[in-house]
């Protein structure tokens, strides 16, 4: 059991976000049937365990003018991918970086990173910066800009749970 | 569209994408850090939520650490029935995000399920109902999941 039933009650109370009130954790506690101290401890514990990856504002990239959303994929030798992934994650404009399973021949790529930018040209220049910075000038790569967003919502984790906002593999 | 937000909003977004205080009066603490009043911060957050600049204010969860399954998958939807395929894929409640992208594999979607085992079943059902091969590219290792955007 990763989360207890009391954590679950708290997660349900948090489904609509943190209340915009002077003492939001006390308010959440009233909704979940626990006191403010317990709410604070449980949220801190979930952050410490990595169950909550981030706690704060969640922006809508597109509405803020970040319309150039690129999934940049690379074919990196398996014995070098950890080094490259770590190096790639250091670029401030890289918002996600994962190693994934390859599906050759159509999909030979094993390293994915996301770059969100206002202009396509800026993003393309940033891809070049990553390639130079990580020594990947000759690596096979592809840039998949998003053309249209069909669906973006809090993902369902359990049918009887509220839709939760997940740190998913691609987005924006 | 950045004129949707002024420099104070921008400072709020940059500062509060992570590390929001978990203490009795967090907005007061965060506001002090930003050099504005607590009421002003609450008012601005409310306003940005109302205008849809912010999706929400709160936690972002790690699906697998919550005990669930999560993957990224893609398929090659023929142009002439792209819309129909998108409708089939989006109808699955387990499909969280779906983007059209520039590639032969032109549809990319995130699937989140109650259990890790259920991922394979959902992908098989998507393949069956669309008549298309689904490419599952699960994560092997995470290097960065910050999802931060510096404005």
């Amino acid at each position: 059991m990763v989360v207890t039933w009391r954590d679950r009650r708290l997660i349900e109370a948090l489904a609509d976000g943190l209340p915009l009130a002077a003492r939001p954790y006390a308010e959440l506690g009233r909704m979940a049937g626990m006191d403010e101290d317990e709410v604070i401890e449980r949220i801190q514990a979930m952050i410490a365990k990595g169950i909550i990856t981030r706690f704060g504002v969640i922006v809508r990239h597109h509405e803020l003018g970040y319309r150039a959303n690129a999934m940049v994929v690379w074919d990196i030798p398996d014995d070098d991918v950890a080094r490259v992934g770590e190096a790639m994650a250091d670029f401030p404009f890289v918002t996600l970086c994962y190693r994934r399973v390859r599906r050759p021949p159509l999909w030979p790529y094993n390293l994915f990173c996301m770059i969100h930018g206002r202009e396509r040209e800026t993003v393309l220049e940033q891809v070049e910066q990553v390639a130079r910075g990580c020594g990947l000038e000759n690596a096979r790569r592809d840039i998949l800009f998003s053309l249209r967003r069909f669906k973006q919502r809090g993902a369902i984790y359990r049918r009887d749970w509220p839709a939760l906002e997940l740190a998913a593999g691609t987005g924006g | 569209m950045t004129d949707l937000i002024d420099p104070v909003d921008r400072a709020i977004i940059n500062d509060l994408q992570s590390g929001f205080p978990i203490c009795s009066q967090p907005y007061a603490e965060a506001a002090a850090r930003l050099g504005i009043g607590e009421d002003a911060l609450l008012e601005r957050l409310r306003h940005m939520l109302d205008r849809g600049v912010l999706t929400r204010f709160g936690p972002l969860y790690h699906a697998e650490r919550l005990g669930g399954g999560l993957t990224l998958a893609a398929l090659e939807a023929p142009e002439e029935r792209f819309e129909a395929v998108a409708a089939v894929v989006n109808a699955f409640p387990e499909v969280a995000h779906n983007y059209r992208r520039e590639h032969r594999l032109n549809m990319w979607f995130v699937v989140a399920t109650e259990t890790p085992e259920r991922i394979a079943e959902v992908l098989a059902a998507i393949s069956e109902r669309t008549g298309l091969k689904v490419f599952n590219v699960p994560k092997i290792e995470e290097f960065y999941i910050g999802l931060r955007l510096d404005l």
Side-chain angles (χ1 to χ4, degrees):
Chain A
M1 193 63 180
V2 193
V3 290
T4 66
W5 66 273
R6 287 183 80 79
D7 287 328
R8 178 181 158 154
R9 266 179 21 203
L10 182 56
I11 289 170
E12 281 169 4
L14 266 167
D16 293 325
L18 190 67
L20 294 172
R23 293 180 64 182
Y25 303 112
E27 199 127 317
L28 279 178
R30 273 192 288 280
M31 293 157 75
M34 54 188 86
D35 64 22
E36 185 184 35
D37 288 344
E38 183 176 349
V39 170
I40 288 173
E41 274 168 32
R42 286 187 184 279
I43 292 177
Q44 280 171 342
M46 284 194 278
I47 292 171
K49 284 187 237 169
I51 293 169
I52 292 174
T53 57
R54 189 154 83 63
F55 197 92
V57 300
I58 298 167
V59 300
R60 234 180 255 262
H61 298 120
H62 196 261
E63 277 70 5
L64 281 170
Y66 284 73
R67 304 242 156 105
N69 155 350
M71 184 170 88
V72 189
V73 294
W74 314 76
D75 175 6
I76 308 293
D78 289 340
D79 59 4
D80 200 27
V81 70
R83 175 196 71 82
V84 174
E86 300 289 347
M88 220 172 255
D90 279 342
F91 286 86
F93 45 80
V94 168
T95 52
L96 284 170
C97 187
Y98 292 137
R99 178 181 179 190
R100 293 186 177 280
V101 171
R102 308 169 193 266
R103 298 292 178 196
L106 184 54
W107 195 255
Y109 306 108
N110 61 338
L111 189 62
F112 287 55
C113 70
M114 297 295 305
I115 301 179
H116 291 89
R118 289 197 177 85
E119 309 291 341
R120 218 172 241 251
E121 292 65 35
T122 314
V123 172
L124 292 172
E125 174 47 37
Q126 287 168 332
V127 173
E128 292 307 326
Q129 266 186 60
V130 170
R132 285 193 302 271
C134 300
L136 304 177
E137 290 92 338
N138 299 316
R140 184 168 176 195
R141 70 168 192 234
D142 208 337
I143 304 171
L144 284 74
F145 279 101
S146 66
L147 299 175
R148 206 170 131 199
R149 176 179 70 192
F150 288 100
K151 193 170 179 183
Q152 183 189 29
R153 61 159 173 75
I156 289 178
Y157 154 59
R158 285 188 181 166
R159 285 180 193 284
D160 57 337
W161 277 43
L164 304 179
E165 202 77 33
L166 299 173
T170 174
Chain B
M1 288 293 263
T2 36
D3 52 351
L4 267 173
I5 58 168
D6 68 11
V8 178
D9 287 337
R10 180 170 298 130
I12 290 172
I13 291 174
N14 282 335
D15 194 57
L16 297 189
Q17 284 182 66
S18 59
F20 186 71
I22 316 289
C23 62
S24 184
Q25 295 184 58
Y27 293 106
E29 195 176 309
R33 211 159 74 189
L34 286 157
I36 60 176
E38 182 184 19
D39 290 343
L41 175 59
L42 286 166
E43 180 54 36
R44 280 172 178 276
L45 286 172
R46 202 167 285 131
H47 198 201
M48 286 194 280
L49 285 163
D50 288 346
R51 282 177 299 163
V53 170
L54 303 180
T55 320
R56 59 203 293 281
F57 185 74
L60 203 60
Y61 296 97
H62 192 287
E64 298 96 322
R65 290 183 198 141
L66 265 175
L70 187 75
T71 199
L72 176 66
L75 52 77
E76 181 181 357
E79 275 312 317
E80 66 278 9
R81 61 183 186 100
F82 191 93
E83 295 298 321
V85 171
V88 170
V89 172
N90 293 347
F92 282 83
E94 293 89 352
V95 171
H97 299 174
N98 187 4
Y99 285 84
R100 176 170 184 150
R101 292 192 180 276
E102 287 176 324
H103 192 268
R104 219 177 108 185
L105 292 171
N106 53 1
M107 191 181 296
W108 287 82
F109 49 96
V110 170
V111 176
T113 55
E114 178 176 347
T115 61
E117 299 72 37
R118 176 103 181 102
I119 291 283
E121 294 168 24
V122 172
L123 295 183
I126 290 175
S127 181
E128 195 190 321
R129 278 185 223 171
T130 57
L132 298 168
K133 180 179 165 142
V134 173
F135 290 75
N136 181 22
V137 290
K139 178 172 67 188
I140 299 173
E141 191 176 356
E142 275 169 10
F143 299 108
Y144 185 66
I145 49 167
L147 264 175
R148 275 189 60 95
L149 193 65
D150 288 308
L151 300 184

